[in-house]
Coordinates of all heavy atoms in Angstrom, one line a residue:
M1 N -114.2 -181.4 110.1 CA -115.4 -181.6 110.9 C -116.2 -182.6 110.2 O -116.6 -182.5 109.1 CB -116.1 -180.2 111.1 CG -117.4 -180.3 111.9 SD -118.3 -178.8 112.1 CE -117.1 -177.6 112.6
D2 N -116.6 -183.6 111.0 CA -117.5 -184.7 110.4 C -119.0 -184.3 110.5 O -119.3 -183.2 111.0 CB -117.2 -186.0 111.0 CG -117.6 -186.2 112.4 OD1 -118.3 -185.3 113.0 OD2 -117.3 -187.2 113.1
E3 N -119.8 -185.1 109.9 CA -121.2 -184.8 109.9 C -121.9 -184.6 111.3 O -122.7 -183.7 111.5 CB -122.0 -185.9 109.1 CG -123.4 -185.5 108.8 CD -124.1 -186.6 108.0 OE1 -123.5 -187.6 107.7 OE2 -125.3 -186.4 107.7
K4 N -121.5 -185.5 112.2 CA -122.0 -185.4 113.5 C -121.6 -184.1 114.2 O -122.5 -183.4 114.8 CB -121.5 -186.6 114.4 CG -122.1 -186.6 115.8 CD -121.6 -187.8 116.6 CE -122.2 -187.8 118.0 NZ -121.5 -187.1 119.0
E5 N -120.4 -183.7 114.1 CA -119.9 -182.5 114.7 C -120.6 -181.3 114.1 O -121.0 -180.3 114.7 CB -118.4 -182.3 114.6 CG -117.7 -183.3 115.4 CD -116.2 -183.3 115.1 OE1 -115.8 -182.9 114.0 OE2 -115.4 -183.8 116.0
A6 N -120.8 -181.3 112.7 CA -121.5 -180.2 112.0 C -122.9 -180.1 112.5 O -123.4 -179.0 112.7 CB -121.4 -180.4 110.5
Y7 N -123.6 -181.2 112.6 CA -125.0 -181.2 113.1 C -125.1 -180.7 114.5 O -125.9 -179.9 114.8 CB -125.5 -182.6 113.0 CG -127.0 -182.7 113.4 CD1 -128.0 -182.4 112.4 CD2 -127.4 -183.2 114.6 CE1 -129.3 -182.5 112.8 CE2 -128.7 -183.2 115.0 CZ -129.7 -182.9 114.0 OH -131.0 -183.0 114.3
E8 N -124.2 -181.1 115.4 CA -124.2 -180.6 116.8 C -124.0 -179.1 116.8 O -124.7 -178.4 117.6 CB -123.1 -181.3 117.6 CG -123.3 -182.7 117.9 CD -122.2 -183.4 118.6 OE1 -121.2 -182.8 118.9 OE2 -122.3 -184.6 118.9
K9 N -123.1 -178.6 116.0 CA -122.8 -177.2 116.0 C -124.1 -176.4 115.5 O -124.5 -175.4 116.1 CB -121.6 -176.9 115.1 CG -121.2 -175.5 115.1 CD -119.9 -175.3 114.2 CE -119.5 -173.8 114.3 NZ -118.3 -173.6 113.5
K10 N -124.7 -176.9 114.5 CA -125.9 -176.3 113.9 C -127.0 -176.3 115.0 O -127.7 -175.3 115.2 CB -126.4 -177.1 112.7 CG -127.6 -176.6 112.1 CD -127.9 -177.4 110.8 CE -129.3 -177.8 110.6 NZ -129.6 -178.6 109.5
M11 N -127.3 -177.5 115.7 CA -128.3 -177.6 116.7 C -128.0 -176.7 117.9 O -128.9 -176.1 118.4 CB -128.5 -179.0 117.1 CG -129.1 -179.9 116.0 SD -130.6 -179.2 115.2 CE -131.8 -179.2 116.5
K12 N -126.8 -176.6 118.3 CA -126.4 -175.7 119.4 C -126.7 -174.3 119.1 O -127.3 -173.6 119.9 CB -124.9 -175.9 119.7 CG -124.5 -175.1 120.9 CD -123.0 -175.4 121.3 CE -122.5 -174.8 122.5 NZ -122.9 -173.7 123.1
A13 N -126.4 -173.8 117.9 CA -126.8 -172.5 117.4 C -128.3 -172.3 117.4 O -128.8 -171.2 117.9 CB -126.2 -172.2 116.1
R14 N -129.0 -173.2 117.0 CA -130.5 -173.1 116.9 C -131.1 -173.0 118.3 O -131.9 -172.2 118.6 CB -131.1 -174.3 116.2 CG -131.0 -174.3 114.7 CD -131.6 -175.6 114.2 NE -131.7 -175.5 112.7 CZ -132.2 -176.5 112.0 NH1 -132.6 -177.6 112.6 NH2 -132.4 -176.3 110.7
L15 N -130.5 -173.9 119.2 CA -131.0 -173.8 120.6 C -130.7 -172.5 121.3 O -131.5 -171.9 122.0 CB -130.4 -175.0 121.4 CG -131.0 -176.3 121.1 CD1 -130.1 -177.4 121.7 CD2 -132.4 -176.5 121.6
E16 N -129.6 -171.9 121.0 CA -129.2 -170.6 121.5 C -130.2 -169.5 121.0 O -130.6 -168.6 121.7 CB -127.8 -170.3 121.2 CG -126.8 -171.1 122.0 CD -125.3 -170.9 121.5 OE1 -125.0 -170.2 120.5 OE2 -124.4 -171.5 122.2
E17 N -130.5 -169.6 119.7 CA -131.5 -168.7 119.1 C -132.9 -168.8 119.8 O -133.5 -167.8 120.1 CB -131.7 -169.0 117.6 CG -130.5 -168.6 116.8 CD -130.7 -169.1 115.3 OE1 -131.8 -169.5 114.9 OE2 -129.7 -169.0 114.6
I18 N -133.3 -170.0 120.1 CA -134.6 -170.2 120.7 C -134.5 -169.7 122.2 O -135.5 -169.1 122.6 CB -135.0 -171.7 120.7 CG1 -135.2 -172.2 119.3 CG2 -136.2 -172.0 121.6 CD1 -136.3 -171.5 118.5
Q19 N -133.4 -169.9 122.9 CA -133.3 -169.4 124.2 C -133.4 -167.9 124.2 O -134.0 -167.3 125.1 CB -132.0 -169.9 124.9 CG -131.9 -169.4 126.3 CD -133.0 -170.0 127.2 OE1 -133.2 -171.2 127.3 NE2 -133.7 -169.1 127.9
A20 N -132.8 -167.3 123.2 CA -132.9 -165.8 123.1 C -134.3 -165.3 122.9 O -134.8 -164.3 123.4 CB -131.9 -165.3 122.0
E21 N -135.0 -166.1 122.1 CA -136.4 -165.8 121.8 C -137.3 -166.0 123.0 O -138.2 -165.1 123.3 CB -136.9 -166.7 120.7 CG -138.3 -166.4 120.2 CD -138.5 -165.0 119.5 OE1 -137.5 -164.5 119.0 OE2 -139.6 -164.6 119.4
I22 N -137.0 -167.0 123.8 CA -137.7 -167.2 125.1 C -137.5 -166.0 126.0 O -138.4 -165.5 126.6 CB -137.3 -168.6 125.7 CG1 -137.9 -169.7 124.9 CG2 -137.8 -168.6 127.2 CD1 -137.3 -171.1 125.3
D23 N -136.2 -165.6 126.1 CA -135.9 -164.5 126.9 C -136.6 -163.2 126.5 O -137.1 -162.4 127.3 CB -134.4 -164.3 127.0 CG -133.6 -165.4 127.6 OD1 -134.2 -166.2 128.4 OD2 -132.4 -165.5 127.4
R24 N -136.7 -163.0 125.2 CA -137.4 -161.8 124.7 C -138.9 -161.9 125.0 O -139.5 -160.9 125.4 CB -137.2 -161.7 123.1 CG -137.8 -160.5 122.5 CD -137.7 -160.5 121.0 NE -138.6 -161.5 120.4 CZ -140.0 -161.4 120.3 NH1 -140.5 -160.3 120.8 NH2 -140.7 -162.3 119.7
M25 N -139.5 -163.0 124.8 CA -140.9 -163.2 125.1 C -141.1 -163.0 126.6 O -142.2 -162.4 127.0 CB -141.4 -164.6 124.7 CG -141.5 -164.7 123.2 SD -142.1 -166.4 122.8 CE -141.6 -166.5 121.1
N26 N -140.2 -163.5 127.4 CA -140.4 -163.4 128.9 C -140.4 -161.9 129.3 O -141.2 -161.5 130.1 CB -139.3 -164.1 129.6 CG -139.6 -164.5 131.0 OD1 -140.7 -164.3 131.4 ND2 -138.7 -165.1 131.7
A27 N -139.5 -161.1 128.7 CA -139.5 -159.7 128.9 C -140.8 -159.0 128.5 O -141.3 -158.1 129.2 CB -138.3 -159.1 128.2
K28 N -141.3 -159.4 127.3 CA -142.6 -158.8 126.9 C -143.7 -159.2 127.8 O -144.6 -158.4 128.1 CB -142.9 -159.3 125.5 CG -142.2 -158.5 124.4 CD -142.8 -158.7 123.1 CE -142.5 -157.6 122.2 NZ -143.2 -157.5 121.0
M29 N -143.7 -160.4 128.3 CA -144.7 -160.9 129.2 C -144.7 -160.0 130.4 O -145.8 -159.7 130.9 CB -144.5 -162.4 129.6 CG -145.6 -162.9 130.4 SD -145.2 -164.6 131.0 CE -143.8 -164.2 132.1
K30 N -143.6 -159.7 131.0 CA -143.5 -158.9 132.2 C -144.1 -157.5 132.0 O -144.6 -156.9 132.9 CB -142.1 -158.8 132.6 CG -141.5 -160.1 133.2 CD -140.1 -160.0 133.6 CE -139.6 -161.3 134.1 NZ -138.2 -161.3 134.4
Q31 N -144.1 -157.0 130.7 CA -144.7 -155.7 130.4 C -146.2 -155.8 130.2 O -146.9 -154.7 130.2 CB -144.0 -155.1 129.2 CG -142.5 -154.8 129.4 CD -141.9 -154.4 128.1 OE1 -142.5 -154.4 127.0 NE2 -140.6 -153.9 128.2
A32 N -146.7 -156.9 129.9 CA -148.1 -157.1 129.6 C -149.0 -157.0 130.9 O -148.5 -157.1 132.0 CB -148.4 -158.4 128.9
G33 N -150.3 -156.7 130.6 CA -151.2 -156.6 131.7 C -151.5 -158.0 132.3 O -151.1 -159.0 131.8
A34 N -152.2 -158.1 133.4 CA -152.5 -159.3 134.1 C -153.2 -160.3 133.3 O -152.9 -161.5 133.2 CB -153.3 -159.0 135.4
D35 N -154.3 -159.9 132.5 CA -155.0 -160.9 131.7 C -154.1 -161.5 130.6 O -154.1 -162.7 130.4 CB -156.2 -160.2 131.1 CG -157.3 -159.9 132.1 OD1 -157.3 -160.5 133.2 OD2 -158.1 -159.0 131.8
A36 N -153.4 -160.6 129.9 CA -152.5 -161.1 128.9 C -151.4 -161.9 129.4 O -150.9 -162.9 128.8 CB -151.9 -159.9 128.1
N37 N -151.0 -161.6 130.6 CA -149.9 -162.3 131.3 C -150.2 -163.8 131.5 O -149.3 -164.6 131.3 CB -149.6 -161.6 132.6 CG -148.2 -161.9 133.1 OD1 -147.4 -162.7 132.5 ND2 -147.8 -161.3 134.2
I38 N -151.4 -164.1 131.8 CA -151.8 -165.5 132.0 C -151.7 -166.3 130.7 O -151.1 -167.4 130.7 CB -153.3 -165.6 132.5 CG1 -153.4 -165.0 133.9 CG2 -153.8 -167.0 132.5 CD1 -154.8 -164.7 134.5
E39 N -152.2 -165.7 129.6 CA -152.0 -166.4 128.3 C -150.6 -166.5 127.9 O -150.1 -167.5 127.4 CB -152.8 -165.6 127.2 CG -152.7 -166.2 125.9 CD -153.4 -167.6 125.8 OE1 -154.2 -168.0 126.6 OE2 -152.9 -168.4 124.9
F40 N -149.8 -165.4 128.1 CA -148.4 -165.4 127.7 C -147.7 -166.5 128.5 O -146.8 -167.2 128.0 CB -147.8 -164.1 128.0 CG -148.1 -163.0 127.0 CD1 -147.9 -161.7 127.3 CD2 -148.7 -163.3 125.8 CE1 -148.2 -160.7 126.4 CE2 -149.1 -162.3 124.9 CZ -148.8 -161.0 125.2
Q41 N -148.0 -166.6 129.8 CA -147.3 -167.5 130.7 C -147.6 -169.0 130.2 O -146.7 -169.8 130.2 CB -147.7 -167.4 132.1 CG -146.9 -168.2 133.1 CD -145.4 -167.9 133.1 OE1 -145.0 -166.7 133.2 NE2 -144.6 -168.8 132.9
K42 N -148.8 -169.2 129.8 CA -149.2 -170.5 129.3 C -148.4 -170.9 128.1 O -147.8 -172.0 128.0 CB -150.7 -170.6 129.0 CG -151.2 -171.9 128.5 CD -152.6 -171.9 128.1 CE -153.0 -173.1 127.4 NZ -154.4 -173.1 126.9
R43 N -148.3 -170.0 127.1 CA -147.6 -170.2 125.9 C -146.1 -170.3 126.2 O -145.4 -171.2 125.6 CB -147.8 -169.0 124.9 CG -149.2 -168.8 124.5 CD -149.4 -169.7 123.3 NE -150.8 -169.4 122.9 CZ -151.4 -170.1 121.9 NH1 -150.7 -171.0 121.2 NH2 -152.6 -169.8 121.6
L44 N -145.6 -169.5 127.1 CA -144.2 -169.6 127.4 C -143.8 -170.9 128.1 O -142.8 -171.5 127.8 CB -143.8 -168.4 128.3 CG -142.3 -168.1 128.4 CD1 -141.6 -167.9 127.1 CD2 -142.1 -166.8 129.3
N45 N -144.7 -171.4 129.0 CA -144.4 -172.7 129.6 C -144.4 -173.8 128.6 O -143.6 -174.7 128.7 CB -145.5 -172.9 130.7 CG -145.3 -172.1 131.9 OD1 -144.2 -171.5 132.1 ND2 -146.3 -172.0 132.7
E46 N -145.3 -173.8 127.6 CA -145.3 -174.8 126.6 C -144.0 -174.7 125.8 O -143.5 -175.8 125.4 CB -146.5 -174.6 125.6 CG -147.9 -174.9 126.3 CD -149.1 -174.4 125.4 OE1 -148.8 -174.0 124.3 OE2 -150.2 -174.6 125.9
L47 N -143.6 -173.5 125.4 CA -142.4 -173.4 124.7 C -141.2 -173.9 125.5 O -140.3 -174.6 124.9 CB -142.2 -171.9 124.3 CG -141.0 -171.5 123.5 CD1 -140.8 -172.4 122.3 CD2 -141.0 -170.1 123.2
K48 N -141.1 -173.6 126.8 CA -140.0 -174.0 127.6 C -140.0 -175.5 127.7 O -138.9 -176.1 127.7 CB -140.1 -173.4 129.0 CG -139.7 -171.9 129.0 CD -139.9 -171.4 130.4 CE -139.6 -169.9 130.5 NZ -139.7 -169.3 131.8
E49 N -141.1 -176.2 127.7 CA -141.2 -177.6 127.8 C -140.6 -178.2 126.5 O -139.8 -179.2 126.5 CB -142.6 -178.1 128.0 CG -143.1 -178.0 129.3 CD -144.6 -178.4 129.5 OE1 -145.1 -179.2 128.6 OE2 -145.2 -178.0 130.5
K50 N -141.0 -177.6 125.4 CA -140.4 -178.1 124.1 C -138.9 -177.9 124.0 O -138.2 -178.7 123.5 CB -141.2 -177.4 122.9 CG -142.7 -177.6 122.9 CD -143.1 -178.7 122.0 CE -144.6 -178.7 121.9 NZ -145.1 -180.0 122.0
Y51 N -138.5 -176.7 124.5 CA -137.1 -176.3 124.5 C -136.3 -177.4 125.3 O -135.3 -177.9 124.9 CB -136.9 -174.9 125.0 CG -135.4 -174.6 125.1 CD1 -134.7 -174.1 124.1 CD2 -134.7 -174.8 126.3 CE1 -133.3 -173.8 124.2 CE2 -133.4 -174.5 126.5 CZ -132.7 -174.0 125.4 OH -131.4 -173.8 125.5
D52 N -136.8 -177.6 126.5 CA -136.1 -178.6 127.4 C -136.0 -179.9 126.8 O -135.0 -180.6 126.9 CB -136.9 -178.7 128.8 CG -136.7 -177.4 129.6 OD1 -135.8 -176.6 129.3 OD2 -137.5 -177.2 130.6
D53 N -137.1 -180.4 126.1 CA -137.1 -181.7 125.4 C -136.0 -181.7 124.3 O -135.2 -182.6 124.3 CB -138.4 -182.0 124.8 CG -138.4 -183.4 124.1 OD1 -138.0 -184.4 124.7 OD2 -138.9 -183.4 123.0
A54 N -136.0 -180.7 123.5 CA -135.0 -180.6 122.4 C -133.6 -180.5 123.0 O -132.7 -181.2 122.5 CB -135.3 -179.4 121.5
N55 N -133.4 -179.7 124.0 CA -132.1 -179.6 124.7 C -131.6 -180.9 125.3 O -130.5 -181.3 125.1 CB -132.1 -178.5 125.7 CG -130.7 -178.1 126.1 OD1 -129.9 -177.8 125.3 ND2 -130.5 -178.1 127.4
D56 N -132.5 -181.6 125.9 CA -132.2 -182.9 126.5 C -131.7 -183.9 125.4 O -130.7 -184.6 125.5 CB -133.3 -183.5 127.3 CG -133.6 -182.9 128.6 OD1 -132.7 -182.1 129.1 OD2 -134.7 -183.1 129.1
R57 N -132.5 -183.9 124.3 CA -132.1 -184.8 123.2 C -130.8 -184.4 122.6 O -130.0 -185.2 122.2 CB -133.2 -184.7 122.1 CG -134.5 -185.4 122.5 CD -135.6 -185.2 121.5 NE -136.8 -185.8 121.9 CZ -137.3 -186.9 121.6 NH1 -136.6 -187.7 120.8 NH2 -138.5 -187.3 122.0
F58 N -130.5 -183.1 122.5 CA -129.3 -182.6 122.0 C -128.1 -183.1 122.9 O -127.1 -183.5 122.4 CB -129.3 -181.1 121.9 CG -127.9 -180.5 121.5 CD1 -127.4 -180.6 120.3 CD2 -127.2 -179.8 122.5 CE1 -126.2 -180.1 119.9 CE2 -126.0 -179.2 122.1 CZ -125.5 -179.4 120.9
L59 N -128.3 -183.0 124.2 CA -127.2 -183.4 125.1 C -126.9 -184.9 125.0 O -125.8 -185.3 125.0 CB -127.6 -183.0 126.6 CG -127.6 -181.5 126.9 CD1 -128.2 -181.3 128.3 CD2 -126.3 -180.9 126.7
K60 N -128.0 -185.7 124.8 CA -127.8 -187.1 124.6 C -127.1 -187.4 123.3 O -126.3 -188.3 123.2 CB -129.2 -187.8 124.7 CG -129.8 -187.9 126.1 CD -131.1 -188.5 126.1 CE -131.7 -188.4 127.5 NZ -133.1 -188.9 127.5
L61 N -127.5 -186.6 122.3 CA -126.8 -186.8 121.0 C -125.3 -186.5 121.1 O -124.5 -187.2 120.5 CB -127.5 -185.9 119.9 CG -126.9 -186.0 118.6 CD1 -127.9 -186.3 117.6 CD2 -126.2 -184.7 118.2
Q62 N -125.0 -185.5 121.8 CA -123.6 -185.1 122.0 C -122.8 -186.3 122.6 O -121.6 -186.5 122.3 CB -123.4 -183.9 122.8 CG -123.7 -182.6 122.1 CD -123.4 -181.4 123.0 OE1 -123.8 -181.3 124.1 NE2 -122.6 -180.5 122.4
D63 N -123.5 -187.0 123.6 CA -122.8 -188.1 124.3 C -122.9 -189.4 123.5 O -122.3 -190.4 124.0 CB -123.4 -188.3 125.7 CG -123.1 -187.1 126.6 OD1 -122.1 -186.4 126.4 OD2 -123.9 -186.9 127.6
S64 N -123.6 -189.4 122.4 CA -123.8 -190.7 121.7 C -122.5 -191.1 120.9 O -121.7 -190.2 120.5 CB -125.0 -190.6 120.8 OG -124.7 -189.7 119.7
S65 N -122.5 -192.3 120.6 CA -121.4 -192.8 119.7 C -121.7 -192.4 118.3 O -122.8 -192.0 118.0 CB -121.3 -194.3 119.8 OG -122.4 -194.9 119.2
R66 N -120.7 -192.4 117.5 CA -120.8 -192.0 116.1 C -121.9 -193.0 115.4 O -122.6 -192.6 114.5 CB -119.5 -192.1 115.4 CG -118.5 -191.2 115.9 CD -118.0 -190.3 114.9 NE -117.0 -189.4 115.5 CZ -117.2 -188.1 115.8 NH1 -118.4 -187.6 115.6 NH2 -116.3 -187.3 116.3
E67 N -121.9 -194.2 115.8 CA -122.8 -195.2 115.2 C -124.3 -194.9 115.7 O -125.2 -195.1 114.9 CB -122.5 -196.6 115.6 CG -121.1 -197.1 115.1 CD -120.0 -196.6 115.9 OE1 -120.1 -196.3 117.2 OE2 -118.9 -196.4 115.3
A68 N -124.5 -194.5 116.9 CA -125.9 -194.3 117.4 C -126.4 -192.9 117.1 O -127.7 -192.7 117.2 CB -125.9 -194.5 118.9
W69 N -125.6 -192.0 116.7 CA -126.2 -190.6 116.6 C -127.2 -190.4 115.5 O -128.1 -189.6 115.6 CB -125.0 -189.6 116.5 CG -124.5 -189.3 115.1 CD1 -123.6 -190.0 114.4 CD2 -124.9 -188.3 114.3 NE1 -123.4 -189.4 113.2 CE2 -124.2 -188.4 113.1 CE3 -125.9 -187.2 114.4 CZ2 -124.4 -187.5 112.0 CZ3 -126.0 -186.4 113.3 CH2 -125.3 -186.5 112.1
E70 N -127.1 -191.2 114.4 CA -128.0 -191.1 113.3 C -129.4 -191.4 113.8 O -130.4 -190.8 113.4 CB -127.6 -192.1 112.2 CG -126.6 -191.6 111.3 CD -127.0 -190.4 110.4 OE1 -128.2 -190.2 110.1 OE2 -126.1 -189.6 110.0
E71 N -129.6 -192.4 114.7 CA -130.9 -192.8 115.2 C -131.4 -191.6 116.1 O -132.6 -191.3 116.1 CB -130.8 -194.1 116.0 CG -130.6 -195.3 115.1 CD -130.5 -196.6 115.9 OE1 -131.1 -196.6 117.0 OE2 -129.7 -197.5 115.5
M72 N -130.5 -191.1 116.9 CA -130.9 -190.0 117.8 C -131.2 -188.7 117.0 O -132.1 -187.9 117.5 CB -129.8 -189.8 118.8 CG -129.5 -191.0 119.7 SD -128.3 -190.7 120.9 CE -129.3 -189.8 122.1
R73 N -130.6 -188.6 115.9 CA -130.8 -187.4 115.1 C -132.3 -187.2 114.7 O -132.8 -186.1 114.7 CB -129.9 -187.4 113.9 CG -130.0 -186.3 112.9 CD -129.1 -186.4 111.8 NE -129.2 -185.3 110.9 CZ -128.5 -185.1 109.8 NH1 -127.6 -186.0 109.5 NH2 -128.6 -184.1 109.1
S74 N -132.9 -188.3 114.3 CA -134.3 -188.2 113.9 C -135.2 -187.7 115.1 O -136.1 -186.9 114.9 CB -134.8 -189.5 113.3 OG -134.8 -190.5 114.3
G75 N -134.9 -188.2 116.3 CA -135.7 -187.7 117.4 C -135.5 -186.2 117.7 O -136.4 -185.5 118.0
L76 N -134.2 -185.8 117.6 CA -133.9 -184.4 117.8 C -134.6 -183.5 116.7 O -135.1 -182.5 116.9 CB -132.4 -184.2 117.8 CG -132.0 -182.7 118.1 CD1 -132.6 -182.2 119.4 CD2 -130.5 -182.7 118.2
D77 N -134.6 -184.0 115.4 CA -135.2 -183.3 114.4 C -136.7 -183.1 114.6 O -137.3 -182.1 114.4 CB -135.0 -184.0 113.0 CG -133.6 -183.8 112.5 OD1 -132.9 -182.9 112.9 OD2 -133.2 -184.6 111.6
K78 N -137.3 -184.2 115.1 CA -138.8 -184.1 115.5 C -139.0 -183.1 116.6 O -139.9 -182.3 116.5 CB -139.3 -185.5 115.9 CG -140.8 -185.5 116.2 CD -141.2 -186.9 116.6 CE -142.7 -186.8 117.0 NZ -143.1 -187.7 118.0
A79 N -138.2 -183.2 117.6 CA -138.3 -182.2 118.7 C -138.1 -180.8 118.3 O -138.8 -179.9 118.7 CB -137.3 -182.6 119.8
W80 N -137.2 -180.6 117.3 CA -136.9 -179.3 116.8 C -138.1 -178.8 116.1 O -138.5 -177.6 116.2 CB -135.7 -179.3 115.9 CG -135.5 -178.0 115.2 CD1 -135.8 -177.7 113.9 CD2 -135.1 -176.8 115.8 NE1 -135.6 -176.3 113.7 CE2 -135.1 -175.8 114.8 CE3 -134.7 -176.4 117.1 CZ2 -134.8 -174.4 115.1 CZ3 -134.3 -175.1 117.3 CH2 -134.3 -174.2 116.4
K81 N -138.8 -179.6 115.2 CA -140.0 -179.2 114.5 C -141.1 -178.7 115.4 O -141.7 -177.7 115.2 CB -140.4 -180.3 113.6 CG -139.5 -180.4 112.4 CD -140.0 -181.6 111.5 CE -139.0 -181.8 110.4 NZ -139.3 -183.0 109.6
E82 N -141.3 -179.5 116.5 CA -142.3 -179.2 117.5 C -142.0 -177.9 118.2 O -142.9 -177.1 118.4 CB -142.5 -180.3 118.5 CG -143.1 -181.6 117.9 CD -143.1 -182.8 118.9 OE1 -142.6 -182.6 120.0 OE2 -143.5 -183.9 118.4
M83 N -140.7 -177.7 118.6 CA -140.3 -176.5 119.3 C -140.4 -175.3 118.3 O -140.9 -174.2 118.7 CB -138.9 -176.6 119.8 CG -138.4 -175.4 120.6 SD -136.8 -175.6 121.2 CE -135.8 -175.9 119.7
N84 N -140.1 -175.5 117.1 CA -140.2 -174.4 116.1 C -141.6 -173.9 115.9 O -141.9 -172.7 115.8 CB -139.5 -174.8 114.8 CG -139.1 -173.6 114.0 OD1 -138.7 -172.6 114.5 ND2 -139.2 -173.8 112.7
A85 N -142.5 -174.9 115.9 CA -143.9 -174.6 115.7 C -144.4 -173.8 117.0 O -145.2 -172.9 116.9 CB -144.8 -175.8 115.5
A86 N -144.0 -174.3 118.2 CA -144.3 -173.6 119.4 C -143.8 -172.2 119.5 O -144.5 -171.3 119.9 CB -143.9 -174.4 120.6
V87 N -142.6 -172.0 119.0 CA -142.0 -170.6 118.9 C -142.8 -169.7 118.0 O -143.2 -168.6 118.4 CB -140.5 -170.7 118.5 CG1 -140.0 -169.3 118.1 CG2 -139.7 -171.3 119.5
S88 N -143.2 -170.2 116.9 CA -144.0 -169.4 115.9 C -145.3 -169.1 116.5 O -145.8 -167.9 116.4 CB -144.2 -170.2 114.6 OG -143.0 -170.4 114.0
S89 N -146.0 -170.0 117.1 CA -147.3 -169.8 117.7 C -147.2 -168.8 118.9 O -147.9 -167.8 119.0 CB -147.8 -171.1 118.3 OG -149.0 -170.9 119.0
A90 N -146.2 -168.9 119.7 CA -146.0 -168.0 120.8 C -145.6 -166.6 120.3 O -146.1 -165.6 120.9 CB -144.9 -168.6 121.8
A91 N -144.8 -166.6 119.3 CA -144.3 -165.3 118.8 C -145.5 -164.5 118.3 O -145.6 -163.3 118.4 CB -143.3 -165.5 117.7
E92 N -146.5 -165.2 117.7 CA -147.7 -164.5 117.2 C -148.5 -163.8 118.4 O -149.0 -162.7 118.2 CB -148.6 -165.5 116.4 CG -148.1 -165.8 115.0 CD -148.1 -164.6 114.1 OE1 -149.0 -163.8 114.1 OE2 -147.1 -164.4 113.5
K93 N -148.5 -164.5 119.5 CA -149.2 -164.0 120.6 C -148.5 -162.9 121.3 O -149.1 -162.1 122.0 CB -149.5 -165.2 121.6 CG -150.4 -166.3 121.1 CD -151.8 -165.8 120.9 CE -152.7 -166.9 120.4 NZ -154.0 -166.5 120.2
F94 N -147.2 -162.9 121.2 CA -146.4 -161.9 121.9 C -146.2 -160.6 121.1 O -145.5 -159.7 121.5 CB -145.0 -162.5 122.3 CG -145.1 -163.4 123.5 CD1 -145.4 -164.7 123.3 CD2 -144.9 -162.9 124.7 CE1 -145.4 -165.6 124.4 CE2 -144.9 -163.7 125.8 CZ -145.2 -165.0 125.7
K95 N -146.7 -160.5 119.9 CA -146.5 -159.3 119.0 C -147.3 -158.2 119.6 O -148.3 -158.2 120.2 CB -147.0 -159.6 117.6 CG -145.9 -160.4 116.9 CD -146.3 -160.5 115.4 CE -145.3 -161.3 114.7 NZ -145.6 -161.5 113.3

């Protein structure tokens, strides 16, 4: 397995973890009261936007040539950091 394939595998696993966290938060949101639900929905929407961005970048990275993937990797790493911060922030609100 080369470096690109290893990176793709790692990012796919991370995205699956985040999707599971989004699903968990969504279930908690459904249990919350109406007032809390508004705040939860806002946080969850922000998180989903970050997830979609990171996932789109990941899909583009998978389709990239071996030469172009290094450039795309930095964009995906940035999207991952933003998504990770959004997950942490949302998780605090969902406790």
Side-chain angles (χ1 to χ4, degrees):
M1 180 180 311
D2 68 11
E3 187 178 2
K4 181 179 185 273
E5 290 170 339
Y7 184 79
E8 287 175 4
K9 186 175 181 178
K10 178 177 139 184
M11 291 310 294
K12 184 175 187 331
R14 286 179 166 178
L15 287 167
E16 288 171 354
E17 289 173 10
I18 295 299
Q19 184 60 57
E21 185 69 16
I22 289 171
D23 293 343
R24 184 187 70 74
M25 289 180 200
N26 204 6
K28 278 195 159 193
M29 183 187 67
K30 290 177 183 177
Q31 295 174 351
D35 291 338
N37 203 354
I38 293 169
E39 179 65 25
F40 287 165
Q41 188 63 51
K42 180 183 172 190
R43 298 272 181 184
L44 195 55
N45 287 342
E46 291 171 3
L47 178 55
K48 286 179 182 178
E49 286 177 18
K50 302 262 187 224
Y51 174 86
D52 288 344
D53 180 50
N55 193 50
D56 287 345
R57 289 174 186 263
F58 174 70
L59 294 173
K60 288 176 184 175
L61 180 121
Q62 283 185 309
D63 291 338
S64 69
S65 68
R66 299 237 180 255
E67 295 79 31
W69 89 273
E70 280 292 335
E71 291 178 31
M72 297 183 79
R73 180 181 181 174
S74 64
L76 183 55
D77 285 342
K78 181 181 178 210
W80 173 256
K81 287 177 185 175
E82 291 173 2
M83 184 178 55
N84 203 33
V87 167
S88 296
S89 175
E92 283 298 315
K93 296 290 183 184
F94 283 88
K95 283 186 177 178

